[in-house]
Amino acid sequence: MASWSEFAADEPRLADGIRLLMQQYGPGFGYLATVRADGGPRVHPVSPVITDEGLFCFVVDSPKRRDLERDGRYALHSFPPEESDDEAYVAGHARPVTDPARVARLARSHRAAPQVDWRVFEFTVDVAMLARRESGVAGGAAESHGRPAVQVWLDPGAAAAGTAVLPETRPGSAGGHAVRPAA
């Protein structure tokens, strides 16, 4: 399980592209998928925090927080941009941040309200994906019929352990990174 910082050091251009899409409206904005107690998926809008230190989320008392506390698996998808169909995706495991100094530093720098019942989770990165679609084609991105350029990064440790799951995985796409068209 790689930290955001480890992923960004290994693949800085991909990390920058994902950060730009997650923060395209100012503060982070995306959709968080968690695993319900019955094993089903649950999706929530969230405001992820991406710093040089890591990928975090302040989570109030809610079903999503209980999901993360029980089963830390997550997937985070960017909110769709208005001008394109580009998308970013990261998945891995969430773990509570328990160091009081680190929690206080993150809360201060991101103006987390101290009177609210929230917990900070750090998201590790097992897989990261960025899909870019051509723009400027007759009518813009909505009418572009070309396949997107997709860049994927798999944490070598997660790939070796078999825990990195990639949507629409194709033979030969595991390990390291690849650029390929989506199906």
Side-chain angles (χ1 to χ4, degrees):
M1 291 183 259
S3 70
W4 174 268
S5 302
E6 292 166 335
F7 153 62
D10 190 45
E11 199 59 59
R13 291 182 63 199
L14 178 57
D16 285 345
I18 291 171
R19 182 191 303 244
L20 285 171
L21 278 175
M22 292 288 182
Q23 296 176 336
Q24 65 186 306
Y25 297 105
F29 189 51
Y31 293 104
L32 176 67
T34 59
V35 181
R36 296 186 323 231
D38 68 1
R42 188 186 320 263
V43 178
H44 329 265
V46 293
S47 295
V49 172
I50 302 173
T51 70
D52 290 340
E53 194 176 343
L55 171 60
F56 304 94
C57 198
F58 291 81
V59 184
V60 297
D61 186 23
S62 61
K64 68 182 157 224
R65 184 165 97 186
R66 290 185 287 284
D67 290 348
L68 292 174
E69 289 170 340
R70 187 192 64 264
D71 180 337
R73 291 178 292 167
Y74 83 92
L76 181 63
H77 195 282
S78 61
F79 191 76
E82 292 178 25
E83 69 283 349
S84 75
D85 288 332
D86 291 354
E87 58 186 309
Y89 165 89
V90 293
H93 292 82
R95 57 182 176 225
V97 177
T98 57
D99 174 31
R102 191 175 193 202
V103 170
R105 185 175 59 255
L106 288 165
R108 243 186 342 272
S109 64
H110 296 287
R111 296 185 217 120
Q115 69 277 15
V116 177
D117 177 19
W118 49 257
R119 294 205 178 115
V120 181
F121 288 85
E122 181 174 9
F123 295 157
T124 64
V125 181
D126 290 347
V127 60
M129 185 269 312
L130 180 64
R132 297 233 184 244
R133 285 152 178 91
E134 292 179 28
S135 59
V137 177
E143 293 185 25
S144 175
H145 299 291
R147 292 179 178 238
V150 178
Q151 187 176 6
V152 176
W153 179 87
L154 298 177
D155 172 32
T163 59
V165 178
L166 180 66
E168 301 180 26
T169 300
R170 296 170 187 246
S173 66
H177 51 78
V179 177
R180 61 176 170 80

